[in-house]
Amino acid sequence: MTISTAPRRVPFSRRAADLESAPISWLMAQALEVPGLLSLAAGFVDQETLPAAEMVEIAAAVLGDEKSGRDALQYGTTAGDPELRRVLLDRLASDRSPIWSQVGIEDVVLTSGSQQLLYLLAEVLLEDGDIVLVEDPSYFVFMAALESLSTRLVGVECDADGVRPEALDRCLEELHRRGDLGRVKLVYLMTYFQNPTGASLSAERGPRVLQVMRDWQERGLEALVLEDAAYRDLCFPGEAEVPPLFEGQDANETVCYAGSFSKSLAPGLRLGYGIVPTELAETLVRLKSHHDFGTGNLSQQLVLKALQTGMIDSHVEKMRRRYLGKCELLFEVLRAELGDAIELEMPRGGLYLWGRLPEGLDTGLQSRVFARALEEKVLYVPGEICCVNEASPDDPTCRSMRLCYGYPPDEELAEAGRRLARAIASVV
């Protein structure tokens, strides 16, 4: 009998065949493969403050008791541990808004990181050809996921105070004029220390954004707002806390709130959550059951114990101070080395600086700036990756770059800033 050794063609689905490798995957691979290369591209948290010692104590408390330990190692529920969902709601609830009295644990879904929640919501809400409005620039990883679902993305202008309500209104008006208002199903906003720009939605703008949505709902808009608050806990010390959109009047009928413990505790735990209307939560749980039967139960029990003991609160305060110091360090190095050759806006929290170079320069993957940065052995995320649509050469995003100060130790962070400055100075 002869066995064929010819390569077999795998019959991929249309969706799988259309998948493209994300530029960020290549950037992260470079950081691992090129000796001595320093990365300002990877959006990793600070390695030195990951709470390894504290988690040893938390794990001992969870696993040290025979019953609770065995329970933690068993399957959990698809929606997530009820006690963790209750404690999470108690932690989030605020006297500022009556909205929390209308929210129960049945409205909370725990997921494997907030990325899973975003994707599940997209699967539940979107058909091929539906429209999602996003900030421009926006979170390129979720943009790629939306495009893989054959969704149309439409960018809405934003600035240092987040999405511009008047720009959102104009965008919806234009879609209405074209007969596309009925295809708009989702408005995706990162309201805290946005990835990539570091901008946050201001307290003044939040109610105006909700009012725009209510006005258009009266004209037939059926879209929900997806508020991605993954970086909310990383507010720098001394900054005033801004309430989320979710706490607006009647907002739980319009806003889905997405949070994560990846930034506030540890990304290795892979635990995120969503607070959504009850009917939507039920559908999300049914879909999630096809994915994984439920998020890792051990991670949930570790996070629950970290919340109950207050460990997570002390850790968050430590991280806020740490990230402020690192942000100031990179900001000051670039300012000292480049002066007016780079435009920087100090964020109020988060992991990112958004840099913009003078007109006429390009920061894209094929640009001289990027090539010189590679020669200097430093990486950044080009602004073009974050564009919602293919940007024209005169678009400011094409001369912008996302710089993450989260992962590198201080000495490497400062050196990365100096290398980037040398690369930019050589082409300015």
Side-chain angles (χ1 to χ4, degrees):
M1 180 175 66
T2 302
I3 299 176
S4 173
T5 58
R8 185 176 181 183
R9 184 177 181 277
V10 178
F12 288 118
S13 68
R14 175 194 58 78
R15 182 169 292 165
D18 289 343
L19 287 175
E20 297 181 0
S21 179
I24 190 63
S25 298
W26 180 85
L27 290 170
M28 293 176 71
Q30 293 297 296
L32 296 173
E33 295 170 5
V34 179
L37 186 142
L38 299 177
S39 179
L40 297 171
F44 289 2
V45 300
D46 181 66
Q47 184 76 3
E48 296 176 0
T49 52
L50 284 171
E54 295 90 336
M55 290 307 296
V56 168
E57 296 180 10
I58 294 294
V62 171
L63 298 173
D65 177 82
E66 188 172 341
K67 182 182 185 306
S68 69
R70 287 176 173 169
D71 288 345
L73 295 171
Q74 185 57 272
Y75 284 112
T77 65
T78 305
D81 181 80
E83 179 65 9
L84 175 54
R85 287 185 282 155
R86 185 192 65 77
V87 169
L88 180 58
L89 282 181
D90 289 344
R91 174 183 171 84
L92 291 169
S94 166
D95 293 336
R96 289 190 305 268
S97 173
I99 199 72
W100 297 104
S101 64
Q102 305 170 38
V103 179
I105 67 167
E106 66 276 5
D107 304 316
V108 183
V109 180
L110 301 179
T111 55
S112 299
S114 59
Q115 184 70 21
Q116 185 189 40
L117 174 73
L118 301 184
Y119 194 82
L120 288 173
L121 281 168
E123 279 198 290
V124 165
L125 297 173
L126 302 173
E127 303 280 2
D128 286 4
D130 279 345
I131 296 170
V132 179
L133 306 187
V134 301
E135 297 153 308
D136 193 8
S138 189
Y139 176 39
F140 48 89
V141 176
F142 188 44
M143 286 165 54
L146 290 169
E147 289 171 344
S148 77
L149 296 171
S150 301
T151 300
R152 289 186 285 166
L153 302 181
V154 175
V156 182
E157 181 185 355
C158 57
D159 58 24
D161 289 321
V163 68
R164 297 173 62 86
E166 59 273 22
L168 176 62
D169 187 54
R170 285 196 305 270
C171 183
L172 290 168
E173 183 66 57
E174 175 61 20
L175 289 167
H176 175 63
R177 186 188 65 78
R178 296 196 322 227
D180 282 338
L181 188 67
R183 299 308 302 267
V184 180
K185 299 297 176 63
L186 202 60
V187 178
Y188 173 69
L189 304 175
M190 295 195 80
T191 48
Y192 295 91
F193 325 121
Q194 189 239 31
N195 182 356
T197 67
S200 296
L201 187 66
S202 68
E204 182 271 334
R205 280 192 184 172
R208 292 170 57 201
V209 168
L210 288 176
Q211 188 59 55
V212 169
M213 292 297 296
R214 291 191 194 99
D215 291 345
W216 279 100
Q217 284 168 346
E218 291 178 359
R219 298 176 63 178
L221 178 69
E222 296 182 347
L224 293 173
V225 174
L226 174 50
E227 179 178 18
D228 187 345
Y231 297 91
R232 181 181 177 185
D233 283 328
L234 301 189
C235 179
F236 290 156
E239 294 289 345
E241 183 179 349
V242 176
L245 276 177
F246 185 81
E247 289 188 355
Q249 184 179 5
D250 300 323
N252 66 328
E253 299 175 5
T254 302
V255 180
C256 300
Y257 182 89
S260 173
F261 291 99
S262 291
K263 308 302 185 293
S264 60
L265 188 55
L269 293 169
R270 304 307 304 134
L271 188 61
Y273 60 91
I275 304 174
V276 300
T278 305
E279 181 182 4
L280 179 54
E282 293 170 353
T283 305
L284 280 176
V285 170
R286 286 197 296 270
L287 177 60
K288 183 172 166 55
S289 69
H290 296 310
H291 283 234
D292 58 14
F293 297 125
T295 299
N297 196 28
L298 178 57
S299 288
Q300 294 182 54
Q301 299 312 310
L302 294 174
V303 170
L304 174 59
K305 185 63 68 175
L307 289 169
Q308 290 173 329
T309 61
M311 186 277 274
I312 194 169
D313 296 309
S314 59
H315 178 63
V316 164
E317 290 305 315
K318 179 179 180 180
M319 285 195 308
R320 287 174 172 175
R321 295 190 299 270
R322 175 72 174 140
Y323 287 132
L324 173 59
K326 296 182 79 170
C327 182
E328 290 177 336
L329 173 61
L330 182 59
F331 187 97
E332 290 166 4
V333 167
L334 292 172
R335 274 278 185 246
E337 297 287 335
L338 291 169
D340 294 336
I342 188 168
E343 178 185 336
L344 297 167
E345 178 129 9
M346 185 73 178
R348 298 194 294 272
L351 295 178
Y352 308 108
L353 271 179
W354 185 246
R356 184 170 294 159
L357 302 188
E359 291 185 15
L361 290 180
D362 177 11
T363 59
L365 291 171
Q366 305 301 320
S367 68
R368 290 176 60 211
V369 173
F370 192 81
R372 284 289 297 121
L374 284 180
E375 291 172 6
E376 293 284 351
K377 291 194 173 183
V378 64
L379 277 180
Y380 61 85
V381 171
E384 67 177 12
I385 294 175
C386 312
C387 286
V388 177
N389 303 304
E390 186 173 345
S392 60
D394 60 348
D395 189 317
T397 306
C398 287
R399 52 187 172 91
S400 300
M401 55 180 64
R402 191 198 77 174
L403 308 173
C404 180
Y405 46 80
Y407 181 77
D410 286 358
E411 289 185 7
E412 291 187 5
L413 183 62
E415 175 60 19
R418 288 190 289 268
R419 292 182 187 183
L420 181 61
R422 286 197 298 269
I424 294 170
S426 69
V427 297
V428 170

